[in-house]
Amino acid sequence: MAKVAGKKNKGNDAGKLGRKDYESELKKLHVELVKLQQWVVEKGLKVCIIFEGRDGAGKGGTIKAITERVSPRVFRVVALPAPTEREKTQIYAQRYLTHLPAAGEVVIFDRSWYNRAGVERVMGFCTDEQSHKFLTVVPMFERMMVESGIILLKYWLEVSAEEQTRRLQDRIDDGRKLWKLSPMDLKSYNRWDDYTRARDDMFAASDSSWAPWFMARSEDKRKARLNIISHLLQQVPYKDLSHKQKIELPKRGKIGKYKSQPYPFKMVGERY
């Protein structure tokens, strides 16, 4: 596997990571993600990455940091809405099965089948019996996935109650982020302890040797993104294939033989 930069932030580790340092390290990790992408396609690997965690813990931003420099045809993000009336009558895992990776794909779940152990349990969308049965069965379901050749990675992003409050309030105050604040976030806000209990039960039941959970502290979202991407790259052995092909632009030849027609294009106004 190619080496990944692991430079520690200078100064007090409790301090926030500056944007310049963050972007410098992220650029290095993006190069490695592209190498990983080439390896996944070349070898026909199947990678499934699950992101769970507290509301406002930074799952979306982490997924965006992972995917912003790779192909969406290889790195596919799945963020399912609430189940339809038809889907509610299906086997619980059925709606997730169709999204699992085929050869040459990395599928990232922005929340996953673990909804049943978290939000559905806490908010009363399933019964205690259904949640218990899910936790009993999910290790076997994931073992089936792993034995079929899927590389399964499960991340939990943890954030303090104080930082969660700050981030949710920021979503209210910032018009660019308002879409991130769902009605469920507001209903869930005063159930911190219930979510903690649900998280602990979920870990106890599904932190298996074949599909372990990895927790990332997310008080500093920039550090969390770098730490998770660095960790992810270490979990999927890969090699740099860029040396296998030398890429050069071909000669363009003479241009300008064809003269474009004076079509009355509707131009976009140049306001900036």
Side-chain angles (χ1 to χ4, degrees), residues 65-207:
I66 293 171
T67 58
E68 64 181 340
R69 295 293 181 176
V70 291
S71 170
R73 291 182 291 275
V74 178
F75 280 74
R76 187 158 49 84
V77 178
V78 177
L80 297 182
T84 64
E85 291 303 314
R86 179 177 182 275
E87 287 171 333
K88 289 178 182 178
T89 68
Q90 296 175 340
I91 297 173
Y92 177 70
Q94 190 171 341
R95 67 195 298 246
Y96 297 100
L97 290 173
T98 58
H99 297 282
L100 294 179
E105 290 183 344
V106 178
V107 173
I108 300 175
F109 281 91
D110 186 352
R111 295 203 183 275
S112 66
W113 43 90
Y114 281 101
N115 277 338
R116 176 132 295 184
V119 64
E120 290 190 15
R121 167 183 168 175
V122 172
M123 301 306 295
F125 297 141
C126 71
T127 65
D128 289 340
E129 181 183 8
Q130 287 173 319
S131 179
H132 175 73
K133 284 184 176 179
F134 166 80
L135 291 175
T136 302
V137 172
V138 72
M140 293 180 283
F141 170 65
E142 292 176 349
R143 185 159 199 160
M144 176 190 70
M145 291 174 58
V146 172
E147 291 181 350
S148 74
I150 293 176
I151 298 172
L152 178 60
L153 301 174
K154 303 187 301 189
Y155 290 103
W156 177 274
L157 276 66
E158 185 64 27
V159 69
S160 68
E162 294 76 17
E163 180 63 13
Q164 183 192 60
T165 297
R166 189 195 68 77
R167 292 179 186 178
L168 294 180
Q169 185 62 51
D170 185 48
R171 292 180 181 182
I172 295 173
D173 299 337
D174 190 335
R176 300 169 299 173
K177 301 177 182 179
L178 192 58
W179 65 271
K180 293 183 177 183
L181 190 68
S182 70
M184 192 54 59
D185 292 335
L186 298 176
K187 293 179 181 178
S188 300
Y189 178 68
N190 64 353
R191 303 197 181 189
W192 178 270
D193 287 345
D194 293 334
Y195 274 103
T196 302
R197 183 179 295 106
R199 179 204 64 191
D200 291 349
D201 290 346
M202 181 188 75
F203 278 14
S206 61
D207 185 25

Side-chain angles (χ1 to χ4, degrees), residues 213-253:
W213 278 102
F214 298 104
M215 179 180 283
R217 291 191 297 271
S218 186
E219 289 298 287
D220 185 330
K221 291 189 285 188
R222 291 172 182 168
K223 287 183 180 179
R225 293 167 192 168
L226 297 180
N227 288 331
I228 289 171
I229 297 174
S230 178
H231 183 273
L232 187 164
L233 289 165
Q234 296 173 43
Q235 305 311 304
V236 187
Y238 67 97
K239 294 180 181 179
D240 184 0
L241 299 177
S242 59
H243 65 278
K244 293 183 65 175
Q245 53 178 339
K246 186 177 180 181
I247 302 175
E248 294 181 350
L249 284 175
K251 291 183 179 180
R252 176 173 270 169

Side-chain angles (χ1 to χ4, degrees), residues 1-9 17 21-33 35 222-223 225-234 238:
M1 183 183 75
K3 290 184 178 180
V4 180
K7 184 177 68 174
K8 281 192 174 183
N9 184 40
L17 183 63
D21 289 339
Y22 167 70
E23 291 179 349
S24 175
E25 291 301 311
L26 184 60
K27 183 177 180 179
K28 298 173 188 176
L29 293 172
H30 280 160
V31 171
E32 297 302 321
L33 283 170
K35 294 175 183 177
R222 291 172 182 168
K223 287 183 180 179
R225 293 167 192 168
L226 297 180
N227 288 331
I228 289 171
I229 297 174
S230 178
H231 183 273
L232 187 164
L233 289 165
Q234 296 173 43
Y238 67 97

